[in-house]
Amino acid sequence: MEPASPKKPSWTGKEKPRVMLLGAGNRAHVEEEAERLEHLLPQFAEIVHTDLQWKTDLSHVEADFAIVLGGDGSILGAARSMGNQQIPIVGVNMGKLGFLAAFTPEQVVDQLATICRGECQIIEHMMLRCRVLKDEEVIAERIGLNEMAILGGPPFQIRSIDLYVDDQLATSYSCDGLIISTPVGSTAHNLSAGGPIVRADLRAFVISPINPHTLTMRSVVDTGDRCFEMHLRGATRTMSVVVDGRVLSPITAEHRVCVDQAKPRFKLVAMHDHNYYRTLREKLGWGGQIDHGR
């Protein structure tokens, strides 16, 4: 589970890289910030596409990188729309947390020329692929950046979920649901469910039961080259498979849910002074009271 080494931008040496400008236009100040960047960017880059309403299939847009205005939800939406054609993202935090959105609006303006010259680094993160099967037929499939979750609905009762790892039975959970997250997603739903934080650039999966019925059930971290398969056991009640906060498919005991590593990598633009633990401290308040004088 060694972390991947940062890479150089593919647009280094280009006179003007091709840029997409994306964001959730219904969020406060996003349209205003987009207008400012549309005025400033042509000095350093060519704007090939702008979408502030998530209407475009971004996998068909040819660009060197994208600037995403919003928060982590906007970045998840951009990655989802890019599908198998992931390009580097400059995340601009227009909200509160912004764990993936590393730049403030002021910082991205200050760094525009530097980023467009390729004087930055690209950090790649693994993504997951989730498939829902019935009678050996794939009926739903999606790639995700954060996590796959199996979640229950009414009647709200404890469910039994069998987990297979590489076709071998690992365990059976009695729980309200189950999360399989990437390292990026370890600080999202997984963390809220009591799972561990995993360094974002590792190749690993985290399996965390939601409200398990027994004290012996704990989160497990495994390598990213495993295949995880889940079966609902002994029930006809419907649960839902949710990928990055969006329902992929309802499931019953007749379905199988398979999660493995996706082929594309999520790519995030960072400056050379990027520090993962500083991000944990500043974004998640990790470590409690910090003496900023040190």
Side-chain angles (χ1 to χ4, degrees):
M1 292 190 292
E2 289 295 321
S5 299
K7 296 184 177 181
K8 293 183 179 180
S10 61
W11 62 89
T12 302
K14 281 190 176 183
E15 183 178 353
K16 285 191 174 184
R18 300 163 299 172
V19 180
M20 285 195 286
L21 188 56
L22 310 172
N26 60 342
R27 296 193 60 173
H29 309 300
V30 167
E31 287 192 356
E32 176 183 337
E33 187 62 26
E35 289 179 3
R36 179 164 72 146
L37 290 174
E38 284 178 331
H39 176 71
L40 295 173
L41 266 171
Q43 303 175 58
F44 317 109
E46 176 189 0
I47 302 176
V48 296
H49 184 70
T50 300
D51 186 353
L52 301 182
Q53 297 181 347
W54 304 116
K55 290 185 176 181
T56 311
D57 181 352
L58 300 178
S59 65
H60 298 300
V61 181
E62 293 187 4
D64 294 302
F65 67 92
I67 298 176
V68 179
L69 305 171
D72 288 354
S74 297
I75 292 176
L76 288 175
R80 180 168 52 247
S81 183
M82 290 176 189
N84 291 321
Q85 305 301 321
Q86 297 288 315
I87 65 170
I89 287 176
V90 177
V92 183
N93 184 21
M94 307 291 293
K96 294 180 180 179
L97 180 60
F99 192 81
L100 294 173
F103 295 88
T104 66
E106 293 73 23
Q107 287 171 336
V108 80
V109 168
D110 291 341
Q111 299 287 350
L112 269 182
T114 301
I115 294 170
C116 291
R117 287 196 301 267
E119 297 173 6
C120 53
Q121 57 185 349
I122 309 300
I123 301 177
E124 295 191 348
H125 303 288
M126 69 172 282
M127 303 181 76
L128 62 81
R129 177 182 64 160
C130 178
R131 293 172 294 156
V132 178
L133 298 93
K134 183 178 181 181
D135 298 329
E136 304 304 323
E137 178 186 357
V138 177
I139 62 171
E141 181 174 345
R142 184 180 298 162
I143 65 171
L145 176 57
N146 270 1
E147 77 275 311
M148 180 285 317
I150 296 179
L151 304 176
F156 295 100
Q157 298 176 349
I158 289 176
R159 312 298 174 93
S160 295
I161 303 174
D162 293 336
L163 173 68
Y164 293 79
V165 181
D166 291 342
D167 297 322
Q168 299 294 317
L169 178 64
T171 191
S172 296
Y173 294 100
S174 293
C175 56
D176 288 344
L178 187 68
I179 300 167
I180 297 185
S181 82
T182 65
V184 168
S186 70
T187 54
H189 196 175
N190 166 77
L191 185 63
S192 299
I197 296 173
V198 178
R199 186 181 176 94
D201 53 359
L202 292 177
R203 302 281 188 259
F205 283 110
V206 185
I207 306 98
S208 296
I210 301 173
N211 298 331
H213 190 246
T214 57
L215 294 175
T216 56
M217 288 299 177
R218 292 292 183 265
S219 297
V220 174
V221 180
D222 205 341
T223 57
D225 57 357
R226 303 294 186 196
C227 179
F228 303 90
E229 184 173 312
M230 287 134 286
H231 302 175
L232 302 184
R233 180 158 46 90
T236 57
R237 301 183 183 93
T238 299
M239 299 186 78
S240 294
V241 177
V242 180
V243 177
D244 287 353
R246 293 198 171 189
V247 174
L248 174 61
S249 176
I251 58 169
T252 66
E254 297 179 342
H255 299 86
R256 293 184 293 130
V257 181
C258 297
V259 173
D260 57 10
Q261 187 173 179
K263 289 183 179 180
R265 296 282 186 266
F266 173 71
K267 302 173 183 179
L268 202 59
V269 175
M271 303 312 294
H272 290 292
D273 62 352
H274 168 78
N275 182 282
Y276 178 69
Y277 288 106
R278 185 175 68 225
T279 301
L280 287 181
R281 291 199 311 270
E282 295 176 354
K283 301 289 188 177
L284 297 183
W286 185 52
Q289 187 67 35
I290 301 295
D291 183 358
H292 293 287
R294 294 185 178 181

mmCIF file of all heavy atoms in Angstrom, residues 262-279:
data_model
loop_
_atom_site.group_PDB
_atom_site.id
_atom_site.type_symbol
_atom_site.label_atom_id
_atom_site.label_comp_id
_atom_site.label_asym_id
_atom_site.label_seq_id
_atom_site.Cartn_x
_atom_site.Cartn_y
_atom_site.Cartn_z
ATOM 1 N N ALA A 262 -11.288 0.723 -9.733
ATOM 2 C CA ALA A 262 -11.589 1.189 -11.087
ATOM 3 C C ALA A 262 -10.294 1.441 -11.846
ATOM 4 O O ALA A 262 -9.240 1.707 -11.247
ATOM 5 C CB ALA A 262 -12.431 2.459 -11.029
ATOM 6 N N LYS A 263 -10.375 1.375 -13.158
ATOM 7 C CA LYS A 263 -9.187 1.642 -13.972
ATOM 8 C C LYS A 263 -8.754 3.105 -13.937
ATOM 9 O O LYS A 263 -7.566 3.391 -13.814
ATOM 10 C CB LYS A 263 -9.433 1.181 -15.414
ATOM 11 C CG LYS A 263 -9.478 -0.333 -15.572
ATOM 12 C CD LYS A 263 -9.650 -0.729 -17.029
ATOM 13 C CE LYS A 263 -9.664 -2.244 -17.184
ATOM 14 N NZ LYS A 263 -9.824 -2.649 -18.609
ATOM 15 N N PRO A 264 -9.662 4.076 -14.093
ATOM 16 C CA PRO A 264 -9.214 5.470 -14.066
ATOM 17 C C PRO A 264 -8.774 5.896 -12.673
ATOM 18 O O PRO A 264 -9.180 5.309 -11.662
ATOM 19 C CB PRO A 264 -10.456 6.253 -14.511
ATOM 20 C CG PRO A 264 -11.603 5.373 -14.198
ATOM 21 C CD PRO A 264 -11.111 3.969 -14.382
ATOM 22 N N ARG A 265 -7.927 6.898 -12.615
ATOM 23 C CA ARG A 265 -7.468 7.492 -11.363
ATOM 24 C C ARG A 265 -8.019 8.908 -11.253
ATOM 25 O O ARG A 265 -8.039 9.659 -12.230
ATOM 26 C CB ARG A 265 -5.934 7.550 -11.317
ATOM 27 C CG ARG A 265 -5.259 6.179 -11.315
ATOM 28 C CD ARG A 265 -5.331 5.560 -9.922
ATOM 29 N NE ARG A 265 -4.573 4.319 -9.863
ATOM 30 C CZ ARG A 265 -5.084 3.115 -10.042
ATOM 31 N NH1 ARG A 265 -6.371 2.992 -10.307
ATOM 32 N NH2 ARG A 265 -4.340 2.046 -9.946
ATOM 33 N N PHE A 266 -8.459 9.259 -10.076
ATOM 34 C CA PHE A 266 -8.837 10.641 -9.804
ATOM 35 C C PHE A 266 -7.567 11.460 -9.666
ATOM 36 O O PHE A 266 -6.617 11.044 -8.994
ATOM 37 C CB PHE A 266 -9.662 10.712 -8.514
ATOM 38 C CG PHE A 266 -9.962 12.109 -8.066
ATOM 39 C CD1 PHE A 266 -10.859 12.896 -8.759
ATOM 40 C CD2 PHE A 266 -9.347 12.628 -6.932
ATOM 41 C CE1 PHE A 266 -11.141 14.190 -8.341
ATOM 42 C CE2 PHE A 266 -9.632 13.910 -6.504
ATOM 43 C CZ PHE A 266 -10.534 14.699 -7.214
ATOM 44 N N LYS A 267 -7.540 12.637 -10.293
ATOM 45 C CA LYS A 267 -6.319 13.434 -10.338
ATOM 46 C C LYS A 267 -6.576 14.821 -9.762
ATOM 47 O O LYS A 267 -7.464 15.530 -10.213
ATOM 48 C CB LYS A 267 -5.827 13.559 -11.789
ATOM 49 C CG LYS A 267 -5.563 12.203 -12.440
ATOM 50 C CD LYS A 267 -5.246 12.332 -13.917
ATOM 51 C CE LYS A 267 -5.061 10.967 -14.563
ATOM 52 N NZ LYS A 267 -4.771 11.074 -16.015
ATOM 53 N N LEU A 268 -5.771 15.183 -8.770
ATOM 54 C CA LEU A 268 -5.959 16.448 -8.074
ATOM 55 C C LEU A 268 -4.696 17.291 -8.221
ATOM 56 O O LEU A 268 -3.578 16.802 -8.011
ATOM 57 C CB LEU A 268 -6.239 16.187 -6.598
ATOM 58 C CG LEU A 268 -6.947 17.266 -5.793
ATOM 59 C CD1 LEU A 268 -8.314 17.597 -6.379
ATOM 60 C CD2 LEU A 268 -7.096 16.825 -4.339
ATOM 61 N N VAL A 269 -4.880 18.555 -8.603
ATOM 62 C CA VAL A 269 -3.750 19.479 -8.730
ATOM 63 C C VAL A 269 -3.388 20.011 -7.347
ATOM 64 O O VAL A 269 -4.262 20.447 -6.586
ATOM 65 C CB VAL A 269 -4.100 20.647 -9.666
ATOM 66 C CG1 VAL A 269 -2.966 21.673 -9.699
ATOM 67 C CG2 VAL A 269 -4.386 20.133 -11.080
ATOM 68 N N ALA A 270 -2.112 19.971 -7.014
ATOM 69 C CA ALA A 270 -1.629 20.494 -5.735
ATOM 70 C C ALA A 270 -0.329 21.256 -5.977
ATOM 71 O O ALA A 270 0.411 20.971 -6.924
ATOM 72 C CB ALA A 270 -1.400 19.365 -4.737
ATOM 73 N N MET A 271 -0.062 22.209 -5.119
ATOM 74 C CA MET A 271 1.217 22.917 -5.197
ATOM 75 C C MET A 271 2.293 22.061 -4.532
ATOM 76 O O MET A 271 2.004 21.086 -3.826
ATOM 77 C CB MET A 271 1.104 24.283 -4.536
ATOM 78 C CG MET A 271 0.004 25.164 -5.132
ATOM 79 S SD MET A 271 -0.002 25.241 -6.946
ATOM 80 C CE MET A 271 1.573 26.083 -7.246
ATOM 81 N N HIS A 272 3.531 22.437 -4.735
ATOM 82 C CA HIS A 272 4.632 21.598 -4.255
ATOM 83 C C HIS A 272 4.749 21.585 -2.733
ATOM 84 O O HIS A 272 5.417 20.715 -2.168
ATOM 85 C CB HIS A 272 5.950 22.058 -4.887
ATOM 86 C CG HIS A 272 6.024 21.761 -6.361
ATOM 87 N ND1 HIS A 272 6.109 20.485 -6.860
ATOM 88 C CD2 HIS A 272 5.996 22.586 -7.449
ATOM 89 C CE1 HIS A 272 6.152 20.519 -8.188
ATOM 90 N NE2 HIS A 272 6.083 21.784 -8.564
ATOM 91 N N ASP A 273 4.106 22.538 -2.044
ATOM 92 C CA ASP A 273 4.165 22.547 -0.585
ATOM 93 C C ASP A 273 2.983 21.803 0.040
ATOM 94 O O ASP A 273 2.735 21.904 1.238
ATOM 95 C CB ASP A 273 4.208 23.984 -0.056
ATOM 96 C CG ASP A 273 2.961 24.794 -0.423
ATOM 97 O OD1 ASP A 273 2.133 24.295 -1.216
ATOM 98 O OD2 ASP A 273 2.835 25.934 0.075
ATOM 99 N N HIS A 274 2.245 21.042 -0.779
ATOM 100 C CA HIS A 274 1.098 20.280 -0.278
ATOM 101 C C HIS A 274 1.523 19.326 0.820
ATOM 102 O O HIS A 274 2.536 18.630 0.716
ATOM 103 C CB HIS A 274 0.470 19.475 -1.428
ATOM 104 C CG HIS A 274 -0.534 18.454 -0.974
ATOM 105 N ND1 HIS A 274 -1.817 18.792 -0.617
ATOM 106 C CD2 HIS A 274 -0.426 17.106 -0.813
ATOM 107 C CE1 HIS A 274 -2.467 17.693 -0.271
ATOM 108 N NE2 HIS A 274 -1.652 16.653 -0.382
ATOM 109 N N ASN A 275 0.743 19.287 1.921
ATOM 110 C CA ASN A 275 1.041 18.403 3.042
ATOM 111 C C ASN A 275 -0.260 17.779 3.536
ATOM 112 O O ASN A 275 -1.177 18.487 3.960
ATOM 113 C CB ASN A 275 1.723 19.181 4.174
ATOM 114 C CG ASN A 275 2.089 18.286 5.347
ATOM 115 O OD1 ASN A 275 1.231 17.926 6.147
ATOM 116 N ND2 ASN A 275 3.359 17.934 5.443
ATOM 117 N N TYR A 276 -0.350 16.451 3.469
ATOM 118 C CA TYR A 276 -1.597 15.758 3.807
ATOM 119 C C TYR A 276 -1.995 15.971 5.259
ATOM 120 O O TYR A 276 -3.172 16.203 5.572
ATOM 121 C CB TYR A 276 -1.442 14.266 3.508
ATOM 122 C CG TYR A 276 -2.663 13.451 3.866
ATOM 123 C CD1 TYR A 276 -3.846 13.581 3.133
ATOM 124 C CD2 TYR A 276 -2.642 12.555 4.933
ATOM 125 C CE1 TYR A 276 -4.973 12.840 3.452
ATOM 126 C CE2 TYR A 276 -3.768 11.809 5.253
ATOM 127 C CZ TYR A 276 -4.927 11.956 4.511
ATOM 128 O OH TYR A 276 -6.035 11.217 4.839
ATOM 129 N N TYR A 277 -1.025 15.912 6.171
ATOM 130 C CA TYR A 277 -1.357 16.033 7.589
ATOM 131 C C TYR A 277 -1.772 17.458 7.954
ATOM 132 O O TYR A 277 -2.604 17.658 8.848
ATOM 133 C CB TYR A 277 -0.184 15.561 8.445
ATOM 134 C CG TYR A 277 -0.026 14.060 8.375
ATOM 135 C CD1 TYR A 277 1.001 13.485 7.641
ATOM 136 C CD2 TYR A 277 -0.927 13.223 9.022
ATOM 137 C CE1 TYR A 277 1.122 12.105 7.549
ATOM 138 C CE2 TYR A 277 -0.814 11.845 8.940
ATOM 139 C CZ TYR A 277 0.211 11.290 8.206
ATOM 140 O OH TYR A 277 0.318 9.931 8.105
ATOM 141 N N ARG A 278 -1.241 18.428 7.253
ATOM 142 C CA ARG A 278 -1.711 19.795 7.469
ATOM 143 C C ARG A 278 -3.167 19.927 7.045
ATOM 144 O O ARG A 278 -3.957 20.611 7.710
ATOM 145 C CB ARG A 278 -0.849 20.789 6.688
ATOM 146 C CG ARG A 278 -1.239 22.252 6.978
ATOM 147 C CD ARG A 278 -0.303 23.226 6.307
ATOM 148 N NE ARG A 278 -0.443 23.175 4.859
ATOM 149 C CZ ARG A 278 0.588 23.137 4.016
ATOM 150 N NH1 ARG A 278 1.833 23.120 4.474
ATOM 151 N NH2 ARG A 278 0.388 23.122 2.709
ATOM 152 N N THR A 279 -3.521 19.239 5.942
ATOM 153 C CA THR A 279 -4.918 19.250 5.502
ATOM 154 C C THR A 279 -5.826 18.637 6.561
ATOM 155 O O THR A 279 -6.903 19.165 6.855
ATOM 156 C CB THR A 279 -5.068 18.480 4.179
ATOM 157 O OG1 THR A 279 -4.244 19.086 3.188
ATOM 158 C CG2 THR A 279 -6.517 18.503 3.702
#
